[in-house]
């Protein structure tokens, strides 16, 4: 998404201001309710939403309440589940946030303790799945970080659209450490690495399966090759590869009409004669 200079400057300057506010709040170990107040202020000051119109607190969902909902007119853009600034965000908190979004049919959910912001996309399958598309530690991130600015720009009042969020999600998925690990372990990459090794040292013979095992066990971190996120990344790449293969197969089957200049002229002449008749 092309972020306007004005919006980018607002996000960057307000993030810098809130870094001081968050650091002080963390030192005081403020409560969850006070953390919600700061996060609501950030939605207004950083992301540009109208505080008393477009940011709803304690939004009701099936007999329970999510801390914050960002709503433009009748459209709920995303939900925010908040925890105390000193709390460690756990899987139980993630599940709670995802359940809120799933029950309301909201695709985008944020889990935050003010300092840590996790942005999730919900996939409405059976069972419901989720993808962590971005995580930021605002006390340890440069406010001018381009990836952070892009993420917050997509969430901002001016930048949010379903298509821009979907594109950002796809970008984050394909460039995640899990996807990069899956790409590195894919047959084309293993073949390329094997060729490069032989180029550097022609006398060395290396089996691709042995190369894959070495990368998995000794080079890459275990979490990027043996986790649910790793499996999900692998499935995404396989699906993308199948889509590309099908597209190429369709192109190969399409008849190609090639004509020389004389044939083209003759065809034009026939068309004009037909029109005249």
């Amino acid at each position: 998404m092309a972020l306007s200079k004005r919006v980018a400057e607002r996000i960057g300057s307000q993030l810098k201001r809130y870094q001081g506010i968050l650091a002080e709040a963390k030192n005081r170990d403020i409560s969850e309710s006070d953390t919600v107040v700061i996060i609501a202020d950030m939605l207004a000051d950083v992301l540009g939403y109208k505080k008393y119109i477009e940011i709803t607190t304690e939004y009701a969902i099936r007999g329970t309440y999510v801390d914050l909902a960002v709503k433009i007119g009748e459209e709920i853009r995303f939900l925010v589940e908040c925890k105390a600034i000193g709390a460690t965000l756990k899987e139980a908190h993630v599940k709670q946030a995802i359940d809120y979004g799933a029950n309301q049919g909201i695709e985008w959910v944020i889990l935050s303790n003010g300092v840590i912001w996790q942005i999730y996309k919900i996939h409405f399958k059976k069972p419901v799945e989720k993808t962590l598309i971005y995580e930021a530690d605002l006390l340890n991130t440069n406010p001018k970080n381009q990836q952070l600015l892009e993420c917050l720009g997509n969430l901002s009042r001016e930048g949010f659209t379903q298509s821009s969020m979907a594109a950002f999600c796809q970008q984050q998925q394909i460039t995640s450490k899990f996807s990069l690990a899956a790409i590195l372990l894919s047959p084309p990459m293993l073949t390329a690495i094997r060729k490069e090794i032989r180029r550097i040292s022609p006398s060395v013979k290396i089996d691709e399966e042995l190369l894959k095992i070495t990368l998995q066990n000794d080079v890459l971190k275990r979490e990027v090759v043996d986790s649910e996120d790793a499996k999900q990344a692998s499935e995404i790449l396989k699906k993308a590869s199948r889509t590309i293969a099908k597209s190429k197969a369709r192109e190969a089957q399409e008849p190609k009409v090639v004509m020389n200049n004389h044939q083209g002229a003759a065809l034009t002449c026939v068309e004009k004669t037909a029109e005249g008749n």
Side-chain angles (χ1 to χ4, degrees), residues 39-240:
I39 292 174
D41 286 346
M42 293 178 72
L43 294 175
D45 296 335
V46 179
L47 299 186
Y49 291 98
K50 298 176 182 178
K51 187 173 180 180
Y52 303 110
I53 301 173
E54 298 168 343
I55 302 170
T56 302
T57 59
E58 293 294 312
Y59 183 79
I61 298 178
R62 294 193 179 183
T64 185
Y65 298 89
V66 66
D67 293 305
L68 296 165
V70 173
K71 187 176 182 181
I72 302 292
E74 296 302 313
E75 176 200 6
I76 299 176
R77 288 189 167 183
F78 55 86
L79 304 175
V80 187
E81 177 60 18
C82 308
K83 299 300 170 187
I85 200 164
T88 300
L89 300 182
K90 301 177 180 178
E91 188 59 34
H93 300 149
V94 176
K95 184 180 184 305
Q96 181 184 13
I98 298 303
D99 285 347
Y100 285 140
N103 287 333
Q104 190 66 21
I106 306 300
E107 193 173 7
W108 310 100
V109 175
I110 297 174
L111 174 64
S112 178
N113 62 4
V115 175
I116 306 296
W117 288 61
Q118 296 177 346
I119 294 88
Y120 289 91
K121 173 181 170 61
I122 298 176
H123 305 278
F124 295 98
K125 301 178 180 180
K126 291 184 179 180
V128 171
E129 297 177 0
K130 92 292 188 177
T131 299
L132 174 63
I133 65 171
Y134 193 77
E135 180 173 9
D137 180 344
L138 297 187
L139 289 183
N140 292 291
T141 303
N142 188 326
K144 296 182 180 180
N145 178 284
Q146 287 303 309
Q147 195 174 44
L148 177 60
L149 288 176
E150 184 177 1
C151 176
L152 296 180
N154 278 298
L155 288 170
S156 71
R157 188 179 194 280
E158 299 89 343
F160 185 99
T161 64
Q162 292 295 336
S163 60
S164 67
M165 287 297 294
F168 181 71
C169 177
Q170 184 178 34
Q171 173 187 309
Q172 292 301 108
Q173 283 183 309
I174 204 66
T175 58
S176 73
K177 58 185 178 182
F178 305 104
S179 294
L180 294 177
I183 291 170
L184 190 59
L185 294 171
S186 66
M189 284 301 296
L190 291 173
T191 299
I193 294 172
R194 180 170 172 269
K195 287 181 178 179
E196 180 63 12
I197 291 173
R198 294 193 67 180
R199 185 188 70 81
I200 295 170
S201 184
S203 62
V204 173
K205 294 183 179 180
I206 184 166
D207 180 73
E208 284 188 15
E209 187 60 30
L210 177 61
L211 179 59
K212 181 178 181 179
I213 292 171
T214 302
L215 288 170
Q216 285 177 324
N217 296 341
D218 302 326
V219 178
L220 300 171
K221 291 182 178 179
R222 187 172 183 82
E223 66 164 316
V224 301
V225 296
D226 188 20
S227 65
E228 286 304 314
D229 288 320
K231 292 175 184 176
Q232 187 179 56
S234 181
E235 287 302 313
I236 290 171
L237 292 177
K238 287 178 182 177
K239 183 177 180 181

